[in-house]
Amino acid sequence: MYSLFVRLGRDLRVTFRFVQKCAYLCATIPFILAHAYPHVKNGARTAMTVNDYSERFFGLPVVDFRSGDRVTRRDAVYRLMQEYEAPQSQRELLDELLEQVPRDSLEALIIGSWSEAATGTPPDGFLEALVEYRLPSLKALFVGDMTFEDAEISWINQTDYTALLQTYPDLEVLRIRGGTALKLPVIEHRALRELTIETGGLPSSVVDAIADSKLPALQRLELWLGSDNYGFDGNLSTYQNLLAKIEPERLEYLGLRNAEIADELATYLASQPWLGSLETLDLSMGTLGDAGAKALLASPWIEGLESLDLRHHYISDAVIKQLQALPLTVEIDNAEDDSDDRYVQVSE
């Protein structure tokens, strides 16, 4: 009986210590977050992540495809989805889809969350299979359509796209999410008209590869520059070099989004005569303030635009009113709070 009470007392002490530790952690979580993540206020994180999956791609609605699913629609783009520790390989999931969709009819494909994406596994299995299969009708590919619940954008390990772009000279749309380990080749690609690279920190090596490539069909270029805390290592000259080489006057859409250097970019863009040849300039998701906004307002070419997207910004109310008076569509919301610092919308 005595030993029973001893064990019971020991168990109660262990339980009490566990409860104490839990209470301590709960009390200190806001403090920890505020120091680990400067954009956290009062324990609540501001939007620094990708929260939603794509609903449409290549002009069609998106439908998820997981292992065991049946293809029921032909008027949709399928998004391959794996759980974190999926038993099947990336290639096996792609094979399941191709058993139900004829290989010669697949025009668009999305690779969503893959197994262990959050712990560094790249999409090599999917891309190697696509290179081997040489799908004759593939025109559009999105790799990495996942939210923060699958993997934070800076955790997504990408890969080398050299073989894929060489294998698919008729690919028209390429969208990639995640910049870690991303490699694009310097290439001549006659068909690519839309290129989107979404990152929490864009390496300058990727930007330089785009600048040195020959992409005669390119009409839409969208880059998420991100934060230097998560891989952004460029500066204004990186993007001056890019724009000097790609003939930006032929673009319909230019998006230099999610940028810490948004004011510098806006000031440079405002000085370029080709600015007015664009349909849309997108500087959203970044840290644009009055300096960059006033440069755009003073540009003699700004009214050539049809649309200007400045959502997520640090512009004063007075300057917002001037922007809204421009004779074009200006997408703008309320300013972010910069009493602490300025942050891009998506970084980690």
Side-chain angles (χ1 to χ4, degrees):
M1 180 67 70
Y2 174 76
S3 61
L4 175 62
F5 280 110
V6 170
R7 288 197 300 271
L8 180 59
R10 185 186 304 119
D11 290 344
L12 287 172
R13 285 195 300 272
V14 170
T15 302
F16 179 70
R17 287 171 185 156
F18 174 75
V19 171
Q20 275 187 316
K21 289 180 179 179
C22 287
Y24 172 78
L25 285 172
C26 289
T28 56
I29 280 174
F31 176 83
I32 293 169
L33 288 174
H35 285 77
Y37 302 97
H39 50 275
V40 176
K41 298 181 185 294
N42 300 321
R45 290 174 58 186
T46 57
M48 302 291 287
T49 58
V50 176
N51 300 311
D52 301 303
Y53 297 106
S54 298
E55 296 182 355
R56 297 185 66 83
F57 182 62
F58 204 54
L60 294 170
V62 175
V63 176
D64 286 345
F65 182 88
R66 293 177 168 84
S67 182
D69 285 352
R70 303 301 302 172
V71 171
T72 58
R73 297 180 60 173
R74 300 296 178 183
D75 61 337
V77 176
Y78 281 90
R79 175 171 46 221
L80 301 175
M81 296 289 287
Q82 288 185 309
E83 300 302 324
Y84 176 70
E85 293 183 334
Q88 82 275 25
S89 69
Q90 295 177 10
R91 181 186 289 257
E92 287 169 344
L93 180 60
L94 176 60
D95 287 346
E96 279 193 49
L97 177 67
L98 295 177
E99 286 171 2
Q100 302 179 57
V101 177
R103 296 188 182 191
D104 60 358
S105 68
L106 188 68
E107 291 192 343
L109 177 67
I110 297 177
I111 297 172
S113 180
W114 53 84
S115 179
E116 300 186 350
T119 54
T121 299
D124 288 347
F126 287 125
L127 267 60
E128 289 169 2
L130 288 172
V131 168
E132 179 181 329
Y133 297 161
R134 295 179 178 269
L135 305 177
S137 299
L138 188 65
K139 295 289 191 298
L141 178 65
F142 180 5
V143 181
D145 187 10
M146 60 184 86
T147 72
F148 74 97
E149 293 181 334
D150 305 305
E152 299 283 12
I153 195 168
S154 65
W155 298 356
I156 301 172
N157 256 32
Q158 276 292 345
T159 190
D160 188 341
Y161 281 75
T162 301
L164 181 96
L165 287 166
Q166 291 173 341
T167 303
Y168 290 91
D170 295 324
L171 192 71
E172 297 178 6
V173 178
L174 178 61
R175 184 175 175 185
I176 300 169
R177 180 170 295 159
T180 303
L182 174 61
K183 182 179 179 182
L184 293 185
V186 175
I187 194 170
E188 182 170 354
H189 196 288
R190 66 175 183 269
L192 195 66
R193 57 182 175 83
E194 296 185 18
L195 176 61
T196 301
I197 311 292
E198 303 174 359
T199 78
L202 184 61
S204 57
S205 59
V206 174
V207 182
D208 292 341
I210 298 170
D212 292 336
S213 294
K214 296 187 185 307
L215 306 172
L218 192 65
Q219 297 176 343
R220 294 177 58 90
L221 177 63
E222 179 179 345
L223 303 176
W224 294 17
L225 281 62
S227 166
D228 57 11
N229 290 324
Y230 294 95
F232 175 72
D233 59 359
N235 53 38
L236 179 61
S237 65
T238 308
Y239 295 87
Q240 289 174 323
N241 177 63
L242 168 71
L243 295 169
K245 291 183 175 180
I246 65 169
E247 300 175 15
E249 61 274 7
R250 65 191 169 119
L251 297 179
E252 296 176 358
Y253 169 96
L254 174 63
L256 299 176
R257 309 179 70 195
N258 204 43
E260 289 184 328
I261 59 170
D263 276 328
E264 295 175 69
L265 289 169
T267 301
Y268 170 71
L269 293 169
S271 70
Q272 300 304 299
W274 52 260
L275 176 65
S277 66
L278 300 174
E279 292 181 7
T280 299
L281 174 64
D282 190 344
L283 298 175
S284 64
M285 302 172 61
T287 62
L288 188 70
D290 281 1
K294 287 179 178 178
L296 292 171
L297 284 166
S299 172
W301 300 287
I302 192 69
E303 294 184 10
L305 293 173
E306 295 181 11
S307 176
L308 176 63
D309 194 339
L310 303 177
R311 288 171 294 179
H312 188 281
H313 62 87
Y314 295 85
I315 304 170
S316 67
D317 289 344
V319 177
I320 288 175
K321 290 181 180 178
Q322 294 178 56
L323 289 165
Q324 291 173 328
L326 287 170
L328 58 130
T329 300
V330 178
E331 299 283 349
I332 195 164
D333 51 9
N334 293 329
E336 300 293 313
D337 179 13
D338 63 352
S339 58
D340 178 26
D341 206 345
R342 292 186 181 184
Y343 302 100
V344 295
Q345 186 170 344
V346 175
S347 57
E348 49 182 307

